[in-house]
Amino acid sequence: MAAFLSGIIQDKILHLHAHVDNPMFKKIFVQIQAFLTRVISPPYFFAFAEKCMPWLILGLILTLGYGLIGALYLAPADYLQGEGFRILYVHVPCAFLSLLIYSLMAVAATLGLVWRLKLAFAVMHQSAMLGAIFTFLALMTGSLWGKPMWGTFWIWDARLTSELILLFLYLGVIALHSALPNRRLADQATAVLVLLGFVDIPIIHYSVNWWNTLHQGSTIRLLAPSLITPSMLYPLLAMTAAFCCYFAITLILRLRCDLNTEVKV
Amino acid sequence: MNTIKTLLDMGGYGIYVWPAYILVAGILGLQWFLPWKHWENIRKTPKPSMDCFVAKSTPRNDSDDE
């Protein structure tokens, strides 16, 4: 199975590179590759990450502090859901990050497959565990919110089911990467799986519009006024920013361990 | 005391709200701690010495060139 998958992936990669015969296309391709190799190289990245780390930690402390105070004290109780709505201050950031991390993994998978960037594969691989954890937490906190609001911990609703599929995708990515002994083959096979699974992301996002779901529709909108009062919205945005900072810090730590271990081996 | 009780009770929803926060804090705390601990172990581990490579090298014999 691994050999079969390897053959398909190698064929596709060679096919892609064989098409870079057009001089203009080749020039653009090489320039992008040179830029990415320079910017997304481990030394450049870790030097940049080292400078960013104190700011990320400061951002995490400030946003988490304000977010927690706002979520548990400042935000007024919801007129319909009462104090139970405060679960959303941890549920929404987890759900948001579960989608964001998979999208980041898809971008990293594309960069890794097309330009063969080692760091892109490392980002994809190390983000998978974090994404799985955020998806698991989104499902668990959603269940704890669903029991008092819907009367059940779980229902086969379109949003919940597609989110559960996302968790299985993350676990599949982790399992596939661990199963293949060759690191290069594991990276490429995982990248293909990530790109195939990306179809689930728009399904999760638009599931509340496409189907008549029990899960509520979008409350925060980018292109239209949000359906949530500012006193509730700002702590939610702060908690989301705090979770993003946390993800960035943990990802950098994991990447440092991963690449350092690899160098020593 | 009454304030803490009100905060913990959360209008009857405390039994759902607090487990959610504790679960998230616990798992994310552990998730941060493990790679941090791993990185600390890597930093503390001494780098392997390069002497073995030096010892294996053969000195150049200039007389062979002629």
Side-chain angles (χ1 to χ4, degrees), chain A residues 104-117:
Chain A
L104 175 73
M105 283 170 63
V107 173
T110 310
L111 290 175
L113 280 177
V114 177
W115 283 287
R116 297 173 182 178
L117 298 170

Side-chain angles (χ1 to χ4, degrees), chain B residues 6-65:
Chain B
T6 311
L7 186 70
L8 290 176
D9 185 51
M10 286 264 173
Y13 290 107
I15 197 168
Y16 300 108
V17 174
W18 290 112
Y21 277 79
I22 291 167
L23 183 75
V24 170
I27 291 183
L28 292 189
L30 193 68
Q31 178 57 42
W32 175 82
F33 180 75
L34 291 178
W36 176 76
K37 196 74 185 165
H38 188 192
W39 175 245
E40 287 296 310
N41 287 338
I42 288 173
R43 279 178 62 183
K44 282 175 189 168
T45 310
K47 300 271 181 199
S49 170
M50 302 300 282
D51 294 346
C52 53
F53 297 108
V54 177
K56 277 178 188 172
S57 62
T58 9
R60 188 179 165 185
N61 190 354
D62 291 338
S63 60
D64 291 348
D65 296 342

Side-chain angles (χ1 to χ4, degrees), chain A residues 55-193:
Chain A
W55 296 104
L56 284 171
I57 293 170
L58 183 69
L60 173 66
I61 292 168
L62 291 177
T63 50
L64 189 66
Y66 169 69
L68 277 177
I69 293 168
L72 296 171
Y73 182 70
L74 296 177
D78 187 70
Y79 80 101
L80 198 60
Q81 302 174 12
E83 303 281 358
F85 95 102
R86 295 185 196 280
I87 293 176
L88 298 184
Y89 288 102
V90 285
H91 170 69
V92 173
C94 286
F96 171 74
L97 270 171
S98 70
L99 301 182
L100 183 78
I101 292 172
Y102 202 90
S103 306
L104 175 73
M105 283 170 63
V107 173
T110 310
L111 290 175
L113 280 177
V114 177
W115 283 287
R116 297 173 182 178
L117 298 170
K118 193 176 171 184
L119 188 66
F121 283 131
V123 167
M124 180 192 70
H125 171 52
Q126 293 300 329
S127 299
M129 179 57 85
L130 293 169
I133 284 170
F134 279 116
T135 312
F136 172 74
L137 287 174
L139 288 168
M140 291 302 292
T141 51
S143 299
L144 286 166
W145 179 81
K147 181 63 179 169
M149 302 304 160
W150 298 342
T152 178
F153 283 112
W154 180 261
I155 188 167
W156 293 102
D157 177 274
R159 172 60 71 87
L160 274 69
T161 309
S162 52
E163 186 77 9
L164 183 65
I165 291 169
L166 181 66
L167 177 62
F168 292 150
L169 272 170
Y170 276 122
L171 296 179
V173 166
I174 296 165
L176 182 63
H177 199 277
S178 310
L180 297 174
N182 183 339
R183 173 75 189 242
R184 190 160 168 255
L185 172 64
D187 285 340
Q188 291 179 350
T190 310
V192 173
L193 179 63

